[in-house]
Amino acid sequence: MNDELKQLAAEAIDRHREVLVALSRRIHEHPELAFEERQSVAWLLEACHKLGWEVAAGICDLPTAWKAALPSSNDGPTVAFLAEYDALPEIGHACGHNLMAIAPLAAAIGLQAVLGKVNGRVLVLGTPAEEGGGGKQLMADKGALDGIDAALLVHPTAHSVVKTQALACEHYDVDFHGKAAHAAGSPEKGVNALNALILSFNHIDALRQHIRSSSRIHGIIRHGGDAPNIVPEHTSGSFIIRATTTSTS
């Protein structure tokens, strides 16, 4: 895209700046968890309707997944901009998904301004549940990316990069079951499930120095017991394992 077209795109985005910033802030102030982003999706679809785009809600059998197609009669490559809008439990939009929700709209607005001068089609795909729900994979499995030549997204960070290395990940929920007993009166009768979970964390810590530097293992304790004077009979944790590939070979 030459400088003239870039200027046209930038000017179009600037004309919508206030609306986009206000939408980002509204989503930030109303965080919603994975697959529950109903209000955010309603606001985003409303914005797409006002821009004159053709909107399809609840695609891929996911109530909070959606697609917006820009008017175009041009042949050429189809480019999709991916929007994210779910938040983290208790924390909210710590990963900036409110920005990732409006950035694709801004990019599509910019391309819409030059579609008469370049060939191609533009879509915006609303992808729910990035924070652990795998919304994009579910959509891809349902054919949401079929016929798309390039799918792009942005992620806010402290520095600018054109591309980054993504890691494959697997999620695991772990439960340990022991035997309850009074921790002061008869601790010898108990089997401590919390000890098992803590030992697991310690063993994972020891393992880290022997795995590839590109791999990650991280987790949290979700339930550590019921009371400090009872030997925990049930504990649970959640872990994520990341690597450059899911292959075990």
Side-chain angles (χ1 to χ4, degrees):
M1 186 181 291
N2 61 34
D3 290 342
E4 179 184 354
L5 297 183
K6 288 181 181 179
Q7 183 65 28
L8 288 173
E11 290 173 352
I13 295 170
D14 285 342
R15 287 195 294 270
H16 292 83
R17 176 183 175 85
E18 290 186 8
V19 172
L20 293 172
V21 171
L23 178 55
S24 172
R25 290 175 175 170
R26 185 186 299 177
I27 293 172
H28 185 273
E29 292 167 359
H30 298 83
E32 298 171 295
L33 301 182
F35 297 118
E36 299 177 6
E37 317 95 327
R38 295 175 183 84
Q39 184 64 77
S40 298
V41 167
W43 290 329
L44 289 164
L45 292 182
E46 180 184 14
C48 292
H49 276 297
K50 289 181 178 179
L51 288 164
W53 302 345
E54 182 181 348
V55 172
I59 66 173
C60 302
D61 299 325
L62 298 172
T64 54
W66 53 274
K67 176 174 70 174
L70 278 65
S72 174
S73 59
N74 293 331
D75 294 326
T78 298
V79 177
F81 298 113
L82 308 186
E84 297 178 6
Y85 31 81
D86 64 324
L88 288 160
E90 305 297 330
I91 301 173
H93 281 291
C95 289
H97 287 189
N98 57 300
L99 298 173
M100 298 175 72
I102 61 102
L105 271 62
I109 288 169
L111 270 183
Q112 186 174 30
V114 300
L115 275 180
K117 303 177 183 297
V118 296
N119 293 328
R121 298 177 60 248
V122 181
L123 302 174
V124 179
L125 290 179
T127 61
E130 192 278 337
E131 298 290 0
K136 292 184 187 63
Q137 184 62 58
L138 296 173
M139 293 177 68
D141 292 343
K142 291 286 186 177
L145 298 180
D146 293 352
I148 292 175
D149 297 288
L152 306 172
L153 61 76
V154 298
H155 199 296
T157 186
H159 54 276
S160 297
V161 293
V162 175
K163 65 178 181 178
T164 187
Q165 174 67 53
L167 297 177
C169 69
E170 294 281 353
H171 294 248
Y172 294 92
D173 293 324
V174 180
D175 291 88
F176 289 95
H177 297 275
K179 182 179 179 182
H182 196 286
S186 53
E188 73 282 357
K189 295 180 180 179
V191 177
N192 196 317
L194 182 57
N195 284 348
L197 185 54
I198 291 174
L199 285 171
S200 296
F201 270 91
N202 290 335
H203 290 161
I204 289 170
D205 286 340
L207 175 66
R208 283 194 179 105
Q209 67 175 303
H210 301 292
I211 63 175
R212 292 172 179 161
S213 60
S214 58
S215 301
R216 306 284 187 270
I217 307 174
H218 42 96
I220 60 170
I221 295 176
R222 290 199 174 275
H223 181 68
D226 298 310
N229 61 334
I230 300 174
V231 175
E233 65 175 339
H234 170 249
T235 58
S236 64
S238 293
F239 295 85
I240 300 177
I241 300 175
R242 302 179 191 261
T244 54
T245 175
T246 56
S247 173
T248 57
S249 61

